[in-house]
Amino acid sequence: MEKLKIRGGGQLVGRLRVQGAKNSVLPILAASILVQGESVLQNCPDLKDVDAAISILRHLGCKVKRQGKDVHIDSKAITRCDVPDDLMREMRSSVIFLGAILGRMGEAILSLPGGCELGPRPIDLHLEALRALGADLEEVGGNIVCRTEGLVGTEINLASPSVGATENVMLAAVCAKGETVITNAAREPEIVDLAAFLAASGARISGAGQSTITISGSGLGKSTTHRIMPDRIVASTYLSAVAFVGGRLELLDAEPTHLETLITALRAAGCEITVSGQDIQIESDGKLGAISPVITRPYPGFPTDAMPCLLAASVKAQGTTVFIENIFQNRYRYVEELRRMGAEIKLEGRVAVVTGISNLHGARVDATDLRGGAALVVAALGAEGETQIGEVHHIDRGYDSLEATLGGLGADIERVND
Ligand code: EPU
């Protein structure tokens, strides 16, 4: 089994370019199904979830070619409308293919996603919205069978601003007759990136990034080239790591406006952060002051995916830090692993209270999920001695060339086979 071996203690110094965003490339790969031509996606990160999405596209009949960070998708000859169970299981967010396949083929058959490491992952909002657009849905032998005689635009008010449901509606609505208005839509930057891809491919869409999005169903005609936005969660991971262990990092192509809540928290804790255009520079002596309560909320609030790494960075901060998780029920599984390294963290439901200690020590720990695994990497970089992190496959879902990137900044990190 693969493990990451990290000997902590050194500072991180250097510069790096932020990889393309996983949560942007996945819905855009699904969107490429709607294009009656070729899509070229640039800046695609090399990740297990991206490989899984490409396998789904190939299964449907798309021709997909990967050249370095570019992915070329030719969707002219789609022949199938089903995603088999084994492919669905490879990627948690494969439900994002539902709206796109339904829109393109008039029928979609997907197996039902189960729960995941972050707790139950219901898709009721996705299904309700597709039904409102004119889809008939039934559950047959563990599959969702979704059919339509023709989608028709309508007003959809999401009960909560779900990122995935907003994306699914956008994709289906592009193929609907007439106008669809989504209210209480998610406002995450990944929604804006998806809208930019759709617009470049010929869709008429406005309001992405705000709570009301309007889509005129007109289909997607044009072949297009689109550059995937930088991954704000990966950027936040490296910023948190430098804040924690000390050092100096220049993050290039990081889109600072996506990271405002994290930058504010790190500045308040004593880090020096300079923003210049798309780049962010951070300097830290590794001695963080008290961090004010961190409360996760939908964008533009503090991102749930950035919280685990900031929590790891706070374990040696002055005083106590309070974290409140409002998005996922089961986000704190990595806390038990941090405790093995000596961290003092009390958990009660959605609240974690971290009491700063003087030192962490290396230990054998396991990644429990993607961002929890990244938090263990951050902790290990600032711990005394060696940490071995197992279940690395969780981390590989979201971080392209993690060891090479951190190694380039001076970290002592290697992947071993145990
Ligand atoms: N929810 C429902 N019903 C639904 C849909 C969502 O109850 O039909 C609930 C979820 O259970 C959750 C909350 O609403 O408690 C938010 O879910 P949302 O739909 O917004 O999240 P998602 O689309 O499943 C995406 C990212 C997540 C990220 C969240 C929140 C992708 C592929 N995934 O998930 O990323 O945490 O938005 O920002 O875009 C990660 O990258 O590690 C990750 C988990």
Side-chain angles (χ1 to χ4, degrees):
M1 230 183 35
E2 285 192 335
K3 290 191 163 174
L4 286 176
K5 240 189 211 180
I6 299 174
R7 278 164 293 271
Q11 294 207 329
L12 297 173
V13 177
R15 60 158 49 178
L16 64 91
R17 194 166 291 281
V18 179
Q19 72 182 58
K22 165 178 88 74
N23 291 345
S24 175
V25 72
L26 296 177
I28 292 178
L29 283 168
S32 72
I33 292 173
L34 303 176
V35 178
Q36 310 277 350
E38 193 182 89
S39 309
V40 181
L41 305 183
Q42 299 171 329
N43 200 29
C44 288
D46 198 358
L47 301 172
K48 290 235 166 93
D49 275 10
V50 173
D51 293 342
I54 290 176
S55 301
I56 292 176
L57 291 176
R58 288 197 174 122
H59 171 83
L60 296 172
C62 300
K63 292 195 188 107
V64 188
K65 208 169 51 183
R66 188 162 190 149
Q67 284 177 323
K69 298 287 179 205
D70 289 358
V71 175
H72 299 245
I73 308 123
D74 177 347
S75 304
K76 285 195 252 354
I78 291 192
T79 48
R80 307 185 63 121
C81 64
D82 66 305
V83 181
D85 191 45
D86 54 329
L87 289 178
M88 280 295 285
R89 277 173 202 280
E90 273 181 47
M91 190 177 86
R92 303 249 172 268
S93 39
S94 40
V95 69
I96 200 61
F97 280 86
L98 188 58
I101 301 175
L102 179 71
R104 171 77 188 259
M105 306 296 282
E107 184 176 4
I109 305 171
L110 269 65
S111 66
L112 283 165
C116 81
E117 309 91 20
L118 307 178
R121 285 294 265 276
I123 55 165
D124 51 317
L125 301 176
H126 303 237
L127 302 184
E128 224 173 86
L130 292 177
R131 217 175 255 131
L133 284 167
D136 287 324
L137 301 162
E138 53 175 344
E139 201 185 317
V140 183
N143 285 330
I144 308 169
V145 180
C146 203
R147 288 197 182 93
T148 181
E149 294 294 317
L151 298 172
V152 181
T154 185
E155 181 165 337
I156 292 171
N157 178 43
L158 292 175
S160 69
S162 154
V163 175
T166 302
E167 292 165 345
N168 246 330
V169 176
M170 287 164 74
L171 295 176
V174 162
C175 305
K177 207 167 137 197
E179 192 172 89
T180 299
V181 178
I182 313 173
T183 54
N184 199 25
R187 298 173 56 195
E188 270 66 5
E190 291 77 12
I191 302 284
V192 179
D193 209 25
L194 174 61
F197 171 81
L198 291 172
S201 310
R204 279 182 283 143
I205 183 161
S206 63
Q210 296 159 36
S211 297
T212 302
I213 302 177
T214 306
I215 305 127
S216 303
S218 49
L220 295 186
K222 286 196 255 164
S223 292
T224 193
T225 297
H226 177 82
R227 186 175 169 80
I228 300 296
M229 64 171 240
D231 195 311
R232 61 196 171 102
I233 306 303
V234 168
S236 72
T237 301
Y238 293 127
L239 289 170
S240 299
V242 174
F244 184 47
V245 307
R248 194 180 61 255
L249 174 69
E250 211 179 326
L251 272 183
L252 307 177
D253 202 7
E255 195 57 73
T257 54
H258 294 170
L259 291 157
E260 273 170 11
T261 49
L262 180 78
I263 290 174
T264 304
L266 292 178
R267 276 189 179 139
C271 299
E272 262 188 43
I273 300 183
T274 321
V275 169
S276 137
Q278 292 295 92
D279 305 339
I280 303 173
Q281 191 174 313
I282 179 168
E283 247 188 280
S284 165
D285 59 6
K287 297 187 181 78
L288 295 185
I291 298 178
S292 40
V294 178
I295 304 170
T296 66
R297 298 193 203 283
Y299 193 84
F302 193 93
T304 174
D305 294 339
M307 199 254 263
C309 288
L310 184 61
L311 188 149
S314 76
V315 300
K316 291 199 280 180
Q318 254 172 31
T320 55
T321 312
V322 175
F323 292 84
I324 303 176
E325 167 59 32
N326 284 316
I327 310 294
F328 289 110
Q329 272 180 31
N330 202 6
R331 186 110 234 191
Y332 287 125
R333 291 174 59 215
Y334 63 97
V335 160
E336 188 52 44
E337 306 299 300
L338 287 177
R339 285 182 183 140
R340 280 179 210 272
M341 301 174 74
E344 262 188 43
I345 306 167
K346 278 200 192 118
L347 280 183
E348 207 170 311
R350 293 173 175 274
V351 181
V353 180
V354 181
T355 305
I357 49 163
S358 52
N359 261 321
L360 276 188
H361 55 79
R364 284 172 178 260
V365 291
D366 281 327
T368 51
D369 59 272
L370 166 54
R371 308 303 172 187
L376 298 179
V377 172
V378 170
L381 291 167
E384 277 177 5
E386 183 177 284
T387 298
Q388 290 194 18
I389 305 176
E391 306 290 340
V392 181
H393 58 98
H394 288 297
I395 304 175
D396 292 338
R397 286 187 40 234
Y399 293 83
D400 188 342
S401 314
L402 181 75
E403 306 95 271
T405 306
L406 286 170
L409 301 177
D412 187 347
I413 175 169
E414 61 179 328
R415 190 176 287 248
V416 294
N417 252 314
D418 230 20

